[in-house]
Amino acid sequence: MLSIKGLKAEIEGKEILSGIDLEVKAGEIHAIMGPNGSGKSTLASVLAGREEYEVTGGSVTYKGKDLLEMAAEDRAREGVFLAFQYPVEIPGVSNINFLKTALNEIRTSKGLEPITAKDFLARVRERSALVELDTKLKNRSVNEGFSGGEKKRNEIFQMAMLEPSLSVLDETDSGLDIDALRIVANGVNQLKNETNATIVVTHYQRLLDYIIPDFVHVLYQGRIVRSGPKELAMELEEKGYDWIKEENGETVDV
Amino acid sequence: MAYKGDDLLEEVTNKDYEYGFVTDIESDLAPVGLNASIIRLISQKKNEPEWLLEWRLKSFELWQKMTEPEWAHIQYPRPDFQSFHYYAAPKQKKNPKSLDEVDPELLKTFDKLGISLDEQKKLTGVAVDIVVDSVSVATTFKAKLAELGIIFCSFSEAVQEHPQLVQKYLGTVVPRSDNFYAALNSAVFTDGSFCYIPKGVRCPMELSTYFRINEAKTGQFERTLVIADEDSYVSYLEGCTAPMRDENQLHAAVVELIALDGAEIKYSTVQNWYPGDDEGKGGVYNFVTKRGICHNRSTISWTQVETGSAITWKYPSCILKGDHAVGEFFSVALTNKLQQADTGTKMIHIGKNTKSTIISKGISAGKSQNSYRGLVKIGKNAENARNFSQCDSLLMGDRCGAHTFPYIEVENPSAQVEHEATTSKIGEDQIFYCNQRGIDTEKAISLIVNGYAKEVLNKLPMEFAVEAQKLLAISLEGSVG
Ligand SMILES: Nc1ncnc2c1ncn2[C@@H]1O[C@H](COP(=O)(O)OP(=O)(O)O)[C@@H](O)[C@H]1O
Ligand SMILES: [Mg+2]
């Protein structure tokens, strides 16, 4: 589904991604871990099509197409979804109106009719239950005045509504208490099937107790320095990131 | 198409004005220029009573001694007032009795504007008075309203049919000497709308006026007078368009509202005059005086969505004369390209327990300048007067300007006056968030801007709100920063 080869990207002349290789197949869950500032959000943003980041090398193929050639909205319409690390507030635009607009834009791009009000409401009811989203939040302005946890839950609710093929969850676990974490993870697990794939970006191993990855990758200084099965996450949790840092030639104060 | 700040800013200039067509109808034009004999000609063409001619001539005399106001945050070459036609009427049979008698070319114009009179009649139940250049050409639904004793007609007709009402109220809210443009209007106004709601009557439909400037080099000076008698209610809508021209067209209207004891007037405007081309050439200069007077327990609400005109100079105001009177002002003013708007309101609290609310939402894009100017004045005797003002500015790009000039004068210590102001920018973050959900940049901007303006748009009657939303989207196509 997704094939990243030698991907390099920079911002303001500073190289952040220094050659990333990653293969993601349908039905798989990949975890990307790494210390703060290693480039995880940058990778997520580049995949989603944020133009602030300049791609300086490599390629990304998604469902056989050159992803990097596509505008952000076209990537979304083709099924790429990013759950933002910091979801954005849009005052005065109701969550529900926002989602309906998004859903219908995606449908229109596929030559489908806009969803009927009845079907839409039924879907809202079903999918918001999945992440136990407070009904009040559906009619409030997008993310405005939401708590950190509510914002994250809202991201997964949107994901459930839009049914993407490739979801990138950027630190969806941060700021969640253990109950919320379980709810969010449960939502992600229920949405998983043989035709979609998920990339879970996280700093902590904690989330991976609930969302079991098929592969774990460690990102450090813009490179994937290690890949392995889910046990790699455990190892990281035990040894901490200093181990990776040392391995990669950085001196670490003890 | 992906979002890239600078490219999109450039695209601002590619947006065309949708209503910029000229209707090819013969018109009856007065010679260029302004003097007492032109005023006599206008008055005579309209078969006016002597008192009105005298009133006009006195206004002209006052105007000649006045100078154009300089205090607004706008810059423009001063119009040459001798270069306009002060009377332009589409030539057609006098006073059409039905739609069949209206010039078909004119009807086509209304179609292009999206206001088929026929449709209006059948579907929306909105009574419409249409003013092209200076003359009112059609008023629908008159008979139905007449059953309730409601008078809704052109100003000229009111002068003929209801002279005592006109004479009693004309110039009582906006005196001839009020300001330069009001004095000019009082001298040369040619038509406009008149509305009277009798005691205790709730007007069952929206009353609507459409203004359109068609003839080249004409000034349009409408006069609107709305009188809501005791305990009555009326919702009044005003829409405006103009064709594209190379030369700036002048528009200087006066609107007077009178809300007698217990009455309520909602006055909504969607202003979409031609804003001019990319160099600002040819747009409408819009210098309007709008004011209402509120007697005991009455309410006047001004709601405006201003997207057009090269220059907007406009301060719909309320004089809260009676006790427990309420004044409201809800405004969205959008400027793009080289447009300049200096708009706001005045709330003059005179009576006890009077209350006013001001919600102003400015949106600036391109190289435009957008100013809010508001006065809240609490008089000596206005015990327990209250005001709440909120002035927000939204900036798109860094080549435009937003300015806020709030003036507060309080002469009574029991007053409570609250003022809040915010300035924000449409963030790339917000746009990217929308893009990431499949919404393209243009739609994203429209969504964000409509969200920002929602508090005001919600005050508009349904069919106007939809139109206003579309207008905001069209006016902003491609602009972002
Ligand atoms: N908009 C930006 N401008 C400048 N530097 C940035 C920007 N975004 C990220 N960076 C830098 O890129 C590096 C990687 O950041 P990020 O991808 O957010 O890391 P992570 O998500 O792994 O914590 C950091 O050094 C960060 O400071
Ligand atoms: Mg991050």
Side-chain angles (χ1 to χ4, degrees):
Chain A
M1 173 176 300
L2 180 75
S3 171
I4 305 176
K5 291 206 169 79
L7 183 64
K8 289 187 179 179
E10 60 180 47
I11 188 156
E12 291 164 8
K14 181 175 146 202
E15 185 169 279
I16 313 284
L17 301 182
S18 315
I20 304 265
D21 294 292
L22 185 66
E23 294 286 330
V24 177
K25 296 199 180 66
E28 292 177 349
I29 296 181
H30 289 244
I32 296 185
M33 302 185 70
N36 275 333
S38 57
K40 303 184 297 295
S41 292
T42 302
L43 176 60
S45 297
V46 168
L47 291 178
R50 181 138 204 169
E51 297 210 348
E52 268 177 291
Y53 298 93
E54 196 189 339
V55 174
T56 50
S59 67
V60 181
T61 312
Y62 169 72
K63 289 184 177 172
K65 289 186 191 164
D66 181 354
L67 189 72
L68 300 176
E69 276 298 302
M70 293 160 74
E73 62 269 26
D74 292 327
R75 299 182 197 197
R77 291 167 186 171
E78 293 285 333
V80 175
F81 181 91
L82 172 62
F84 285 66
Q85 180 171 4
Y86 304 106
V88 178
E89 300 184 359
I90 309 179
V93 178
S94 78
N95 222 0
I96 224 70
N97 180 25
F98 177 73
L99 262 175
K100 195 167 183 180
T101 307
L103 191 59
N104 282 335
E105 288 294 297
I106 293 170
R107 290 176 66 93
T108 309
S109 76
K110 297 187 170 136
L112 298 170
E113 292 290 306
I115 191 168
T116 64
K118 186 166 160 277
D119 290 350
F120 179 71
L121 286 176
R123 195 193 286 210
V124 165
R125 216 172 300 125
E126 184 199 344
R127 309 291 156 92
S128 59
L130 204 65
V131 287
E132 298 176 29
L133 192 78
D134 190 335
T135 20
K136 286 196 298 274
L137 297 181
K138 286 178 285 195
N139 295 314
R140 290 239 304 265
S141 296
V142 178
N143 293 321
E144 198 184 32
F146 285 29
S147 71
E150 284 168 344
K151 284 182 183 174
K152 297 299 177 74
R153 249 191 249 195
N154 195 30
E155 293 291 290
I156 303 303
F157 167 56
Q158 293 185 30
M159 174 179 141
M161 288 294 292
L162 301 179
E163 302 180 334
S165 310
L166 175 69
S167 304
V168 181
L169 314 185
D170 191 0
E171 307 259 7
T172 300
D173 51 334
S174 66
L176 293 185
D177 61 32
I178 207 73
D179 287 336
L181 190 70
R182 215 169 18 228
I183 292 164
V184 163
N186 185 39
V188 173
N189 288 331
Q190 289 202 38
L191 293 167
K192 177 184 148 83
N193 61 38
E194 283 313 302
T195 62
N196 62 21
T198 311
I199 298 176
V200 183
V201 172
T202 182
H203 182 76
Y204 303 105
Q205 186 267 341
R206 195 175 68 145
L207 178 65
L208 305 180
D209 291 340
Y210 301 96
I211 300 175
I212 312 297
D214 299 299
F215 301 95
V216 176
H217 311 276
V218 182
L219 190 64
Y220 181 62
Q221 289 185 336
R223 277 198 183 82
I224 290 180
V225 294
R226 228 167 219 268
S227 292
K230 62 176 187 291
E231 287 73 20
L232 177 57
M234 249 73 101
E235 206 177 333
L236 268 178
E237 182 75 355
E238 260 167 48
K239 300 190 188 167
Y241 285 114
D242 287 351
W243 157 57
I244 297 287
K245 289 182 187 173
E246 272 165 24
E247 260 194 10
N248 285 275
E250 201 176 295
T251 50
V252 176
D253 301 329
V254 184
Chain B
M1 182 198 61
Y3 158 62
K4 184 111 195 191
D6 288 346
D7 298 353
L8 275 164
L9 265 182
E10 292 314 316
E11 269 190 42
V12 174
T13 48
N14 295 334
K15 154 77 198 113
D16 291 325
Y17 181 69
E18 277 201 352
Y19 302 99
F21 53 87
V22 179
T23 306
D24 190 16
I25 23 179
E26 261 193 281
S27 65
D28 189 5
L29 269 181
V32 186
L34 181 55
N35 50 50
S37 56
I38 289 282
I39 292 168
R40 284 177 201 281
L41 175 78
I42 294 169
S43 190
Q44 182 209 330
K45 285 242 179 219
K46 307 191 81 65
N47 188 30
E48 285 176 352
E50 190 59 25
W51 67 264
L52 193 48
L53 175 61
E54 289 307 317
W55 198 79
R56 287 175 181 279
L57 290 170
K58 178 71 188 163
S59 307
F60 180 57
E61 206 182 299
L62 289 165
W63 177 73
Q64 283 178 301
K65 293 186 198 123
M66 297 168 96
T67 50
E68 269 182 86
E70 301 277 352
W71 43 261
H73 191 79
I74 47 180
Q75 284 175 350
Y76 60 100
R78 296 293 179 256
D80 174 3
F81 291 96
Q82 292 304 336
S83 72
F84 294 101
H85 294 284
Y86 284 87
Y87 183 79
K91 252 189 202 160
Q92 62 161 356
K93 274 183 260 172
K94 280 272 161 201
N95 293 326
K97 292 275 178 316
S98 74
L99 285 180
D100 306 335
E101 292 179 32
V102 177
D103 188 322
E105 281 293 323
L106 208 52
L107 290 179
K108 270 193 231 155
T109 304
F110 302 144
D111 270 351
K112 286 190 213 165
L113 292 172
I115 38 164
S116 138
L117 291 183
D118 237 18
E119 287 298 295
Q120 289 273 6
K121 260 177 141 171
K122 284 191 212 120
L123 300 173
T124 60
V126 177
V128 190
D129 183 28
I130 301 210
V131 179
V132 173
D133 288 333
S134 313
V135 176
S136 172
V137 290
T139 310
T140 60
F141 269 122
K142 209 185 305 189
K144 195 169 169 199
L145 293 168
E147 284 169 27
L148 292 163
I150 295 170
I151 304 166
F152 178 47
C153 62
S154 72
F155 199 90
S156 312
E157 193 180 331
V159 170
Q160 303 302 320
E161 309 288 327
H162 312 281
Q164 61 306 340
L165 277 176
V166 176
Q167 193 170 8
K168 182 171 174 191
Y169 290 107
L170 181 68
T172 56
V173 193
V174 180
R176 290 175 290 196
S177 56
D178 191 79
N179 68 68
F180 183 83
Y181 304 108
L184 177 62
N185 175 288
S186 301
V188 303
F189 73 86
T190 36
D191 216 330
S193 300
F194 177 88
C195 169
Y196 171 80
I197 315 290
K199 269 183 202 168
V201 171
R202 274 189 78 85
C203 184
M205 61 182 81
E206 315 280 349
L207 301 185
S208 165
T209 303
Y210 255 91
F211 294 111
R212 176 174 169 80
I213 301 176
N214 195 55
E215 195 59 37
K217 300 217 74 175
T218 53
Q220 185 162 1
F221 305 94
E222 323 91 26
R223 191 90 198 181
T224 301
L225 185 53
V226 177
I227 303 150
D229 213 326
E230 290 171 21
D231 300 311
S232 68
Y233 166 84
V234 64
S235 169
Y236 195 97
L237 319 175
E238 181 193 87
C240 322
T241 55
M244 290 194 238
R245 296 281 184 202
D246 289 347
E247 289 139 352
N248 296 92
Q249 300 157 93
L250 179 64
H251 179 254
V254 172
V255 175
E256 296 179 279
L257 309 185
I258 293 123
L260 295 175
D261 289 358
E264 180 176 354
I265 303 175
K266 285 184 68 162
Y267 195 102
S268 313
T269 304
V270 174
Q271 186 264 105
N272 181 30
W273 298 116
Y274 178 49
D277 66 12
D278 298 344
E279 277 88 51
K281 219 169 81 180
V284 171
Y285 288 177
N286 190 25
F287 299 100
V288 180
T289 307
K290 291 184 164 177
R291 195 175 301 152
I293 187 159
C294 291
H295 292 272
N296 293 321
R297 293 170 286 102
S298 72
T299 299
I300 289 180
S301 294
W302 297 103
T303 304
Q304 58 173 29
V305 175
E306 304 278 319
T307 64
S309 296
I311 306 256
T312 302
W313 179 99
K314 180 179 170 188
Y315 316 90
S317 303
C318 297
I319 300 171
L320 305 172
K321 181 166 177 264
D323 295 345
H324 299 277
V326 176
E328 295 172 328
F329 175 75
F330 304 106
S331 169
V332 175
L334 181 154
T335 52
N336 200 354
K337 297 182 181 174
L338 289 170
Q339 283 177 277
Q340 304 174 60
D342 194 297
T343 182
T345 185
K346 290 184 212 167
M347 292 291 174
I348 314 291
H349 293 250
I350 298 170
K352 296 180 178 56
N353 300 303
T354 46
K355 218 174 114 178
S356 63
T357 304
I358 299 171
I359 308 282
S360 163
K361 301 268 181 180
I363 301 160
S364 345
K367 297 183 199 160
S368 67
Q369 294 294 327
N370 199 326
S371 303
Y372 167 81
R373 187 181 301 277
L375 169 68
V376 175
K377 188 182 164 102
I378 314 280
K380 275 200 301 291
N381 301 320
E383 288 295 323
N384 296 317
R386 282 197 285 154
N387 162 266
F388 174 75
S389 304
Q390 184 184 326
C391 304
D392 298 330
S393 309
L394 187 68
L395 294 166
M396 306 177 77
D398 46 20
R399 292 184 290 175
C400 52
H403 317 272
T404 305
F405 305 99
Y407 305 93
I408 299 169
E409 295 171 17
V410 178
E411 293 171 5
N412 185 307
S414 66
Q416 286 179 39
V417 177
E418 265 182 88
H419 180 90
E420 289 176 8
T422 66
T423 301
S424 51
K425 259 185 114 159
I426 283 203
E428 294 190 14
D429 285 359
Q430 287 175 322
I431 292 169
F432 180 66
Y433 192 73
C434 293
N435 289 160
Q436 213 302 304
R437 299 301 185 247
I439 301 166
D440 67 27
T441 300
E442 305 231 315
K443 237 202 175 107
I445 290 172
S446 151
L447 203 64
I448 295 164
V449 166
N450 277 303
Y452 164 77
K454 191 160 98 183
E455 257 178 291
V456 174
L457 298 178
N458 279 349
K459 301 287 175 187
L460 289 172
M462 194 54 182
E463 50 282 65
F464 247 39
V466 173
E467 189 180 339
Q469 278 191 18
K470 283 192 209 144
L471 207 52
L472 288 178
I474 291 170
S475 309
L476 281 174
E477 253 168 41
S479 60
V480 75

